[in-house]
Amino acid sequence: MDLVGGPLDGRLLDVTGWSGEQRAEGALLITDRGLCGAGGRALYSPIEADGEGPFLWIGDTA
């Protein structure tokens, strides 16, 4: 799954084996590149409601 925007822009997330429901929820990914620095997390959610297509950056959290 393509990640669009934010600290992980242009990277790919392997969602092999994820259910449709899991893909629809998106992902909270640990990164040291976000606004919160090392150990922070970046939230990505699918652009489309069915979880298909790229994940769009929503924001960062500690």
Side-chain angles (χ1 to χ4, degrees), residues 10-55:
R11 300 204 182 221
L12 296 175
L13 176 64
D14 183 4
V15 295
T16 303
W18 288 26
S19 69
E21 183 177 299
Q22 288 171 314
R23 287 193 309 273
E25 289 177 7
L28 190 59
L29 305 170
I30 298 172
T31 180
D32 61 352
R33 297 173 178 228
L35 297 174
C36 300
R41 287 159 175 77
L43 176 61
Y44 285 84
S45 290
I47 291 175
E48 300 174 20
D50 62 4
E52 300 299 323
F55 279 13

